[in-house]
Amino acid sequence: MRYTKYFIPTYKEDPSEAEVISHKLMLRAGMIRKITTGIYTYLPLGLRCIRKVENIVRDEMNRAGAIELLMPAFQPAELWKESGRWDYYGKELLRFKDRYGRDACLGPTHEEVITAIVRNEIHSYKQLPVNFYQIQTKFRDEIRPRFGIMRCREFIMKDAYSFDADEEGANKSYEIMKETYHRIFKRCGFRFSMVEADTGTIGGSYSHEFMVLADTGEDQIVVCEKCGYAANLEKAEVSEIAEFQDEPELPMQEVDTPDIKSIEEVSSFLNVSPKKLVKTLICLVDEKPVAALVRGDHELNEIKLRNLFGAEQIRLADEEIVQEITGAPVGFAGPVGLKIKIVADHSIKGMKNFVTGANKKDKHLINVNIGRDFQVDTFADIRFITPQDRCPRCGNDILFKRGIEVGHIFKLGTKYSKAMNATFTDKDGKEKPFVMGCYGIGIGRCVAAAIEQSHDENGIIFPISIAPFEVIVLPVQMNDADVVKEAEKIYHKLLEAGIDVIIDDRDERAGVKFNDADLIGIPIRVTVGKKALKEQKLELKLRSEKEKELIPLSSVPEIVINKVKELYDSLK
Ligand code: ATP
Ligand code: MG
């Protein structure tokens, strides 16, 4: 590629609209441009990186035996009604009506479509297992699109769906994908961690996320370096702590707390530690009210509570319902005298003489005790883990890290096949539902994550596998015929050797060329300059290193080709 025949509209200054470094650098490097909120064009350079990630993904999926197809983005509502998701997939689903008034949507994911296809096309256990994948544009009307193509409303995803005859087969398919994801993300040059995750609205029995480690990541993950336990914050289990407070039960007492509502306010007003407070949160679990109790310094994990009930939905009750159930405004709820189901976090079991709301405006209760003053229906793990907690597996210290979710694998089981009546005939002649798995990778997000993880003050430092070009040939003096001639010669030799190379043939100052090469993050730079050329030498520099190296003109292109190979080998 020739710079002058290509299109790389770089910016010198940081664009003000960007909050994170990858977004800034993708705009500055001329990789993406925003059309409207959460909707982007991939300019040629950005598209090159996208294609490189796609190629790695495709290569590894094919190698794992998955089969590529391409499904439509347009999906009829009927399929979503069959699976039951039309009603509870929220506003992220971009719904519309066609000219005949029929409901449809733009696919945020493709469980329904693939299940419908397999239901029609696959009838016998002999055709199983099978894993279909596609690389396609997805639509999600995200509530908060941000960070450029990291979280946008239209994005490219690789999604795969496995179909097996039984649990054992499905587990095998899942394990193959797990391994394949490790290979893919290694080839992308990521420092990443695989963590246990909740299955969310896609449903199913278990799942793992692949997190690229980066301080700016939106996700928090919990890791134990001793035993290797790793989970995202939503999922991280808290071990049951049997910490019993050894003190006599004091008489329960109602105290005035005028307009004192939050944990911080109550704690400082009554001069007690938040650890002596119990928060009572009125939740609607599939619209049924439940009181969830957690210690003052802990946070309720609604997903754990939802899972405890095997429910589809959960939300905090609004003012009106809280008033109706507790007889008091929000901020004064407590378990004493409540007529609804009470679920308490394990950490409350051993507490004595604690403070709760009194279910009366401007009143709290002190010296409340379980058993004597109220009963708990269920004790369970319903809170978020904290840095003070220990590893739920081995009891050692845990670390909190931040990550960017680039991939997600789910074991779906028979959720969709049962709902949509997708069955096959098994060995014994019986009709059985397919056992499914699904596996996603955010292609664009991978590019952004790579930049987030690897950059410096001058720009992007791409791993060679996803860089827009592997090598840039940079003639310094465009008015020197020898320089231009040598640069052209090297450029053509590298092209012939199959190297993805660009020559910066612009009639620009050297500084401008160096800055742009650094900004767009080409891993290998070959500089052709008048001075070195006199000694039959060229300058070789890796974007990831400070030092330059002078190499003999006679050993080009071999040295450069070897460097390219070396960089790829380091990603194996
Ligand atoms: P998140 O928790 O980040 O919203 P998700 O759990 O909704 O993601 P999945 O349904 O698991 O996402 O989608 C598979 C992959 O697609 C994700 O791992 C992520 O890499 C990518 N992805 C999801 N949503 C977006 C988005 N809005 N923009 C870009 N990539 C996305
Ligand atoms: Mg996810």
Side-chain angles (χ1 to χ4, degrees), residues 209 405 407-408 410:
E209 286 168 349
E405 180 197 316
H408 199 165
F410 294 85

Side-chain angles (χ1 to χ4, degrees), residues 346-366:
H346 286 309
S347 55
I348 288 175
K349 205 181 280 171
M351 285 175 73
K352 288 263 184 271
N353 302 319
F354 47 85
V355 178
T356 71
N359 297 325
K360 286 184 195 161
K361 186 174 183 325
D362 297 341
K363 305 271 184 211
H364 275 77
L365 294 173
I366 60 169

Side-chain angles (χ1 to χ4, degrees), residues 140 142 149-152 155 157 405-408 442 445:
R140 294 185 184 180
E142 297 272 356
I149 62 167
M150 192 98 85
R151 179 170 299 285
C152 44
F155 58 98
M157 196 202 284
E405 180 197 316
V406 286
H408 199 165
R445 195 182 281 183

Side-chain angles (χ1 to χ4, degrees), residues 300-459:
L300 172 69
N301 182 333
E302 293 181 24
I303 290 171
K304 286 184 177 177
L305 188 62
R306 186 196 69 196
N307 292 347
L308 182 70
F309 285 91
E312 295 283 10
Q313 284 179 324
I314 184 162
R315 62 188 169 95
L316 284 178
D318 50 35
E319 287 268 5
E320 227 168 276
I321 296 174
V322 171
Q323 177 80 44
E324 197 182 304
I325 289 170
T326 67
V330 169
F332 301 99
V336 179
L338 268 193
K339 296 274 182 307
I340 58 174
K341 206 174 178 98
I342 296 179
V343 179
D345 184 67
H346 286 309
S347 55
I348 288 175
K349 205 181 280 171
M351 285 175 73
K352 288 263 184 271
N353 302 319
F354 47 85
V355 178
T356 71
N359 297 325
K360 286 184 195 161
K361 186 174 183 325
D362 297 341
K363 305 271 184 211
H364 275 77
L365 294 173
I366 60 169
N367 300 327
V368 178
N369 285 284
I370 299 171
R372 184 191 70 183
D373 304 324
F374 73 97
Q375 303 294 334
V376 169
D377 293 292
T378 315
F379 284 101
D381 170 16
I382 56 166
R383 69 173 171 95
F384 282 104
I385 198 165
T386 69
Q388 288 75 45
D389 287 303
R390 318 289 296 173
C391 170
R393 294 282 183 276
C394 76
N396 259 277
D397 288 349
I398 47 165
L399 292 175
F400 274 58
K401 295 186 180 178
R402 298 205 80 90
I404 300 165
E405 180 197 316
V406 286
H408 199 165
I409 57 178
F410 294 85
K411 174 130 174 278
L412 292 172
T414 53
K415 183 181 158 106
Y416 292 91
S417 48
K418 271 192 182 146
M420 297 179 66
N421 204 17
T423 61
F424 66 97
T425 315
D426 205 356
K427 277 194 190 82
D428 51 15
K430 286 204 181 99
E431 284 297 300
K432 289 184 184 156
F434 296 100
V435 187
M436 294 171 57
C438 77
Y439 318 92
I441 291 182
I443 302 287
R445 195 182 281 183
C446 281
V447 177
I451 298 171
E452 208 59 51
Q453 200 165 56
S454 185
H455 59 264
D456 63 13
E457 63 283 4
N458 299 324

Side-chain angles (χ1 to χ4, degrees), residues 441-510:
I441 291 182
I443 302 287
R445 195 182 281 183
C446 281
V447 177
I451 298 171
E452 208 59 51
Q453 200 165 56
S454 185
H455 59 264
D456 63 13
E457 63 283 4
N458 299 324
I460 304 168
I461 307 176
F462 269 122
I464 193 155
S465 54
I466 61 180
F469 295 97
E470 292 163 338
V471 178
I472 183 161
V473 175
L474 198 153
V476 179
Q477 299 86 2
M478 290 304 287
N479 54 4
D480 184 306
D482 286 342
V483 166
V484 172
K485 197 177 109 211
E486 273 316 321
E488 287 289 338
K489 220 158 93 187
I490 295 159
Y491 168 65
H492 282 102
K493 278 188 191 165
L494 290 173
L495 268 187
E496 268 162 41
I499 303 291
D500 199 1
V501 57
I502 183 167
I503 181 168
D504 192 345
D505 54 348
R506 291 177 297 170
D507 195 6
E508 276 284 2
R509 281 184 297 115

Side-chain angles (χ1 to χ4, degrees), residues 34 76 111 117 123 131 139 163 171 261 312 335 346 412 422:
K34 181 163 115 178
E111 283 78 12
I117 294 165
H123 302 290
N131 186 345
F139 297 85
F163 293 80
N171 290 342
K261 296 177 186 170
E312 295 283 10
H346 286 309
L412 292 172

Side-chain angles (χ1 to χ4, degrees), residues 278-295:
V278 167
K279 275 193 268 199
T280 305
L281 296 135
I282 309 295
C283 300
L284 296 176
V285 182
D286 280 349
E287 298 306 308
K288 282 202 205 73
V290 171
L293 309 189
V294 293
R295 209 169 74 184

